Amino acid sequence: MSFITGVGLTPFGKHEGSSSLDLMSKAAQAALDDAGLRRADIDGVLCGYSTVSPHIMLATVFAEHFGIRPSYAHAVQVGGATGLAMTMLAHHLVDAGVARNVLVVAGENRLTGQSRDASIQALAQVGNPDYEVPLGPTIPAYYGLVASRYMHEYGVTEEDLAEFAVLMRAHACTHPGAQFHDPITVADVMASKPVAMPLKLLDCCPVSDGGAAFVVSRERTGEAGVRIRGCAQAHTHQHVTAAPSLSELGAEISIARAREATGLAISDVRYAAIYDSFTITLAMLLEDLGLAGRGEAAARVRAGHFGRGGVMPLNTHGGLLSYGHCGVGGAMAHLVEAHLQMTGRAASRQVRDASIALLHGDGGVLSSHVSMFLERVR
């Protein structure tokens, strides 16, 4: 058993003059304060990777910078799934007695700490070095290919995808730390400039500065506990040219394993925190996870199903699409928001019931998947 005892999150956007380590430290201290712990209480550290500060020993670099000497330190790299993969590892570490309090932390100054060209170059290196990189695509192009195929097979339209961007922006407008606060419409998404058709600018997450952290502990420290009920992973491929068919991607595998591990059904879930690097990512994952039928997620958005007051509130902070995306910390913001919702601390964003939350992270081009259930305990 393990509990998420504290969470910390910086605003996302521009943090001029702040390094990745600065942003990580700010989020980490906020998480410790939230948990009521001191730095000396932390005996395990898990760090996500950084494209701006790509040190091969980032976990111990951070520990030195933060002034702690953990008995366990490790850095993890599985793309956008890294945050939940670190949470899963922390869960196993405290459950096995290896550590009592594991600090999970990530952050980058991706927006102000690297040039546009450097950012594009980093995004261009994720492809297969022989069959993909020489042709020049970047991550948006790969997801554009997936989107085209998904739209063809399930009758999804560009307007359908735009609904997810509109919803995430509406949720971000209620969070003071979000990168974007201007409401948008489907027409705005459709009119935004093409990036990798059918994906347009507002179908894509932004580049951000920011940091996120949380503490996974063997024992609860607060009045309302949030425990990790169970989790699972699936890794079906790395490069899009080796991907299985759309009906055999890893999200369906990982959610089935997580459900088996926990004994929970999708009908038990009251709040969803789902990775949303692109609108197509969110649409596909909602359907792969069983939160909507094939090709039906957009209709549920239009009906208010995933709104703050809907049947299944989703990413109430605005997600990657509008709260922002600072690398590994971007997806970790989903867990921070879930924790705030589950402990009744989400202010004006608070939903009626977040007693059981489903979280899902996706890394690569729908390559690596982590599904996780959190449960509130009194």
Side-chain angles (χ1 to χ4, degrees):
M1 182 179 294
S2 69
F3 295 89
I4 299 172
T5 51
V7 296
L9 182 67
T10 73
F12 281 15
K14 282 189 176 182
H15 287 270
E16 297 282 0
S18 293
S19 68
S20 293
L21 289 172
D22 293 335
L23 294 165
M24 292 167 71
S25 297
K26 186 174 182 179
Q29 188 58 55
L32 289 179
D33 293 342
D34 193 44
L37 297 172
R38 300 167 301 148
R39 297 190 184 192
D41 295 321
I42 298 299
D43 53 0
V45 171
L46 297 176
C47 281
Y49 62 92
S50 168
T51 59
V52 180
S53 305
H55 198 286
I56 62 173
M57 295 179 64
L58 187 57
T60 47
V61 168
F62 169 77
E64 178 184 78
H65 182 83
F66 198 56
I68 57 177
R69 294 183 176 182
S71 57
Y72 185 98
H74 194 58
V76 178
Q77 292 185 218
V78 278
T82 300
L84 289 187
M86 292 194 294
T87 311
M88 183 174 178
L89 177 55
H91 166 64
H92 290 317
L93 288 171
V94 301
D95 192 48
V98 175
R100 294 188 64 84
N101 298 296
V102 178
L103 175 62
V104 179
V105 60
E108 286 192 67
N109 55 332
R110 277 197 178 187
L111 182 57
T112 61
Q114 62 182 358
S115 67
R116 183 186 296 266
D117 287 346
S119 178
I120 292 173
Q121 183 66 19
L123 293 175
Q125 298 307 307
V126 302
N128 184 289
D130 296 319
Y131 305 117
E132 296 172 6
V133 171
L135 300 177
T138 63
I139 289 178
Y142 297 126
Y143 274 91
L145 290 172
V146 172
S148 295
R149 186 66 195 177
Y150 199 81
M151 292 165 64
H152 171 75
E153 290 199 14
Y154 298 108
V156 174
T157 67
E158 291 182 39
E159 289 81 2
D160 287 337
L161 295 182
E163 294 285 358
F164 298 96
V166 173
L167 176 64
M168 291 300 97
R169 183 62 61 87
H171 285 175
C173 285
T174 65
H175 197 304
Q179 186 166 350
F180 297 117
H181 290 108
D182 296 325
I184 58 174
T185 65
V186 169
D188 292 328
V189 180
M190 296 298 293
S192 61
K193 72 175 185 179
V195 172
M197 293 303 289
L199 302 178
K200 296 162 288 296
L201 182 64
L202 293 178
D203 286 300
C204 307
C205 64
V207 176
S208 316
D209 296 339
F214 35 87
V215 181
V216 179
S217 305
R218 197 180 313 172
E219 299 171 358
R220 58 196 284 182
T221 60
E223 190 172 320
V226 174
R227 77 179 181 110
I228 299 174
R229 177 75 177 260
C231 38
Q233 299 186 23
H235 307 272
T236 55
H237 63 285
Q238 176 57 38
H239 302 108
V240 72
T241 48
S245 68
L246 293 178
S247 61
E248 299 173 352
L249 292 173
E252 293 186 71
I253 301 170
S254 65
I255 190 62
R257 290 172 178 167
R259 287 171 54 192
E260 183 179 2
T262 60
L264 292 172
I266 294 300
S267 59
D268 296 318
V269 176
R270 296 293 177 265
Y271 179 85
I274 310 300
Y275 196 78
D276 60 318
S277 52
F278 301 93
T279 52
I280 183 59
T281 317
L282 187 54
M284 290 180 64
L285 290 178
L286 288 170
E287 295 170 10
D288 287 351
L289 295 169
L291 294 168
R294 294 291 185 195
E296 298 176 0
R300 290 200 166 192
V301 172
R302 284 189 285 266
H305 185 85
F306 295 115
R308 192 178 64 207
V311 175
M312 185 63 66
L314 169 71
N315 298 352
T316 51
H317 65 305
L320 298 169
L321 286 167
S322 278
Y323 191 88
H325 193 359
C326 64
V328 173
M332 288 171 60
H334 290 63
L335 188 148
V336 171
E337 178 71 3
H339 192 276
L340 294 176
Q341 290 286 359
M342 298 180 82
T343 53
R345 299 182 296 156
S348 63
R349 306 183 310 282
Q350 188 64 49
V351 303
R352 290 189 302 271
D353 178 13
S355 53
I356 294 180
L358 168 61
L359 293 83
H360 187 87
D362 154 46
V365 188
L366 299 166
S367 311
S368 294
H369 295 266
V370 183
S371 298
M372 179 174 296
F373 289 98
L374 303 182
E375 179 182 37
R376 184 180 65 223
V377 292
R378 295 292 184 183

